[in-house]
Amino acid sequence: MSHPPLPPAPPQAPPRPPSWFPDPLDDSLLRYWDGYRWTFHTAARPVPAPSAPPPQQQAVQPSPVPAMRRDIVVALQNVRGVLVGSMKEVNLLPGYLRPEEQVLALTAAQGEGQGVLACTNRRLLFLFVGVVRRQFLEVDWNQTKHIFYSQATKTFSVYTTKFTKRAIPAFTVRVNNLNDANTIAHAAQSAAAAPRLDVV
């Protein structure tokens, strides 16, 4: 009785010749294959040379920061309080000024947010620019009748009507530093037809 023929054996992969190959467990190494098995001999895998760097692009020069106006610099030098949180508004202030308007004094003030209160030769104005909100208040000197500063509440109020207990201010902001409130008031007195500051 004859046996059926055995199926042909699957073709075997040709044996790998002995050589250095990437280590199957560590990409940073080469491991020596002796033709039958991996050996314990390893070597650092050479790092390919970096490709040529892209052509250098010309460095982009930052646009020059405009110099601060001289009148604003002088006003800043006279500030006694802290302007933390108000410098953004100080830097934006020139964009809100009229032609030939000069800043005489300024200080940090609180309205709907921390901003700047500025006295100019034309008016008194408050500027706050927040992420969501902004506030711009102004009263020209020819409309201003009275300025009032309360030491108890640290509020600086500007009236366009005769001051009485029932009068409603054109605007009120908080100025924490009495010296800065006085500086604003003295600057206001030097402006044409500016009223005096009452401090209580």
Side-chain angles (χ1 to χ4, degrees):
M1 181 173 196
S2 68
H3 294 295
L6 292 173
Q12 292 196 355
R16 182 185 281 184
S19 184
W20 291 93
F21 293 102
D23 189 314
L25 302 176
D26 187 345
D27 288 340
S28 66
L29 295 176
L30 292 176
R31 186 171 293 275
Y32 190 75
W33 173 262
D34 67 4
Y36 301 100
R37 69 184 75 77
W38 293 108
T39 68
F40 292 106
H41 303 289
T42 59
R45 190 172 186 175
V47 178
S51 59
Q56 279 192 331
Q57 296 178 354
Q58 193 169 9
V60 176
Q61 296 294 328
S63 47
V65 176
M68 192 174 284
R69 288 174 42 145
R70 174 113 177 95
D71 57 330
I72 294 177
V73 170
V74 171
L76 281 171
Q77 290 171 348
N78 294 322
V79 174
R80 304 269 176 91
V82 179
L83 277 172
V84 173
S86 300
M87 282 309 293
K88 174 177 58 172
E89 284 79 8
V90 170
N91 290 325
L92 293 172
L93 190 57
Y96 288 82
L97 297 176
R98 299 170 186 163
E100 299 182 23
E101 187 173 18
Q102 296 293 310
V103 175
L104 305 175
L106 55 79
T107 187
Q110 179 80 32
E112 289 185 11
Q114 185 70 25
V116 63
L117 176 66
C119 174
T120 76
N121 58 342
R122 303 265 178 99
R123 60 192 164 149
L124 194 65
L125 60 91
F126 170 76
L127 174 63
F128 159 68
V129 179
V131 175
V132 177
R133 304 180 74 169
R134 71 177 49 220
Q135 186 180 25
F136 180 71
L137 306 170
E138 64 177 329
V139 178
D140 285 3
W141 289 129
N142 59 3
Q143 299 171 330
T144 304
K145 304 291 184 217
H146 199 88
I147 299 174
F148 181 81
Y149 182 74
S150 167
Q151 290 183 2
T153 61
K154 297 183 186 254
T155 54
F156 194 97
S157 302
V158 182
Y159 293 86
T160 55
T161 59
K162 185 175 179 182
F163 176 70
T164 64
K165 289 190 177 185
R166 293 184 178 197
I168 298 173
F171 76 80
T172 299
V173 293
R174 184 178 171 91
V175 176
N176 290 323
N177 189 292
L178 176 60
N179 290 326
D180 286 346
N182 276 320
T183 301
I184 295 282
H186 293 308
Q189 289 170 349
S190 72
R196 78 179 193 281
L197 172 72
D198 285 341
V199 178
V200 293

